[in-house]
Amino acid sequence: MSVTPGIYTPIVTFYKADGNTIDYPTQIAHAKHLQKLGIAGVVALGSTGENALLSQQERIDIIANLHEAIPDFPIIAGVAQNNAKDAVDTIAAYKKAGATSAMVLPSSYYGPVTTQEGVYDWLTEVADASALPILVYIFPGVCNGLQVLPETVRKLAAHPNIIGCKCTHGDVQQYARIGLDEEVTGNNFALLSGFGQLLLPLYAVGGSGVIDALSGAFPKTFVELFKALESGDTKKAQKLQFVVSEAEVLAGKGNFLSIKRAIRDNLGFGESLVGRKPMNYGISDEDWEKEYKGFYDLIKKVEDTL
């Protein structure tokens, strides 16, 4: 299996008005809307989807409901475990529910004290036993500062069950060292970023696309940007990249709370704008107007023309 190049959406978890009961019909309707507009697939159970605040059964149920309703839509399932066997067991459960691949954070409890050799060994053990092909999720911000360096990625790329990586950081040098490394690309290994604001430079260094939360609210803009890159329309890509880069404050500063607000306001999906405790306080109308609305209006104006 290989990763289809394109835009992938890390989906939020929708709740009913009580802010706690998962709203599966809305979860499905939103995913169908994304598929219709050209999104290549969804990432369920990432940080945007509140993986850490869901029970294991809820995680499985989200995947199962999405797969049953949209069986032809790729579902990448987020896995965050420190124990290798727990990670393998989690992946097996997600495969049974209908996931097509797994996005796996490295074991990071001990943070930067963990050696790169240890990171390699742990991810290899998981990949050896994984029921699904995996993408390595490189996200120091939620991994206690732990990086997965390009040298380690080069070794991991040779594993037949590791099909790519998602990098959620802004180090373009590391992107280049992965995306332009012939040892990596020779293994049909996909380089993805969690930052839509880097899509144009990422594409220039061999990237396959982005997994960006803002695409859940403005899918047409992201898909159009990727199409412009694919067709070689650099001028159009630059214009769209500017808008996406400006608007990324919606994802970067407000995290999934501002994404939920943008999805509700632009697409009409979602009864609740909060997360599970302790993320059960949303963005106030005053803060939305002051901190976010200008960026929302900027990208919505573009989205409405597409």
Side-chain angles (χ1 to χ4, degrees), residues 180 202 277:
L180 300 176
L202 174 77
K277 297 170 187 174

Side-chain angles (χ1 to χ4, degrees), residues 54-138:
L54 301 172
S55 71
Q56 179 63 357
Q57 189 57 55
E58 287 173 327
R59 297 181 190 116
I60 292 168
D61 289 345
I62 286 172
I63 294 170
N65 275 269
L66 288 170
H67 177 66
E68 183 178 356
I70 328 169
D72 60 338
F73 200 30
I75 302 170
I76 304 171
V79 177
Q81 300 283 358
N82 282 305
N83 177 274
K85 186 178 185 306
D86 284 345
V88 169
D89 290 347
T90 297
I91 293 169
Y94 292 168
K95 180 183 181 181
K96 186 176 180 182
T100 49
S101 58
M103 187 174 73
V104 182
L105 286 167
S107 180
S108 60
Y109 182 85
Y110 296 101
V113 176
T114 309
T115 65
Q116 289 298 297
E117 291 81 7
V119 170
Y120 172 80
D121 290 346
W122 190 91
L123 286 165
T124 298
E125 181 178 339
V126 173
D128 283 345
S130 175
L132 290 171
I134 70 172
L135 292 95
V136 177
Y137 192 6
I138 305 172

Side-chain angles (χ1 to χ4, degrees), residues 105 137-148 167-169:
L105 286 167
Y137 192 6
I138 305 172
F139 192 177
V142 299
C143 281
N144 206 7
L146 179 65
Q147 256 290 8
V148 182
C167 299
T168 300
H169 59 69

Side-chain angles (χ1 to χ4, degrees), residues 101-218:
S101 58
M103 187 174 73
V104 182
L105 286 167
S107 180
S108 60
Y109 182 85
Y110 296 101
V113 176
T114 309
T115 65
Q116 289 298 297
E117 291 81 7
V119 170
Y120 172 80
D121 290 346
W122 190 91
L123 286 165
T124 298
E125 181 178 339
V126 173
D128 283 345
S130 175
L132 290 171
I134 70 172
L135 292 95
V136 177
Y137 192 6
I138 305 172
F139 192 177
V142 299
C143 281
N144 206 7
L146 179 65
Q147 256 290 8
V148 182
L149 297 176
E151 294 86 352
T152 306
V153 173
R154 181 185 300 129
K155 292 165 60 181
L156 290 167
H159 196 291
N161 211 24
I162 299 179
I163 59 174
C165 67
K166 175 193 176 184
C167 299
T168 300
H169 59 69
D171 191 337
V172 179
Q173 180 191 21
Q174 291 203 22
Y175 288 123
R177 292 185 62 207
I178 295 169
L180 300 176
D181 187 332
E182 292 182 0
E183 284 188 50
V184 174
T185 57
N187 288 300
N188 200 23
F189 185 91
L191 169 63
L192 300 161
S193 175
F195 288 168
Q197 63 266 45
L198 292 179
L199 180 51
L200 194 156
L202 174 77
Y203 192 83
V205 295
S208 299
V210 294
I211 300 173
D212 188 279
L214 195 58
S215 69
F218 303 101

Side-chain angles (χ1 to χ4, degrees), residues 235-306:
K235 241 176 201 183
K236 183 177 182 179
Q238 288 173 335
K239 288 181 179 179
L240 290 170
Q241 183 66 79
F242 173 77
V243 172
V244 166
S245 297
E246 286 283 287
E248 278 294 340
V249 70
L250 291 165
K253 185 174 183 180
N255 208 287
F256 69 83
L257 295 173
S258 51
I259 295 299
K260 284 190 174 186
R261 174 72 179 259
I263 291 172
R264 197 279 307 273
D265 288 2
N266 189 47
L267 301 178
F269 295 112
E271 294 181 14
S272 170
L273 298 181
V274 299
R276 289 266 179 87
K277 297 170 187 174
M279 302 300 292
N280 55 319
Y281 291 89
I283 298 169
S284 68
D285 289 342
E286 180 183 356
D287 284 347
W288 178 258
E289 290 292 328
K290 182 181 177 181
E291 304 288 342
Y292 302 98
K293 186 64 160 53
F295 300 107
Y296 170 89
D297 289 343
L298 175 68
I299 193 168
K300 179 171 172 54
K301 184 178 179 181
V302 173
E303 184 86 358
D304 288 347
T305 67
L306 299 173

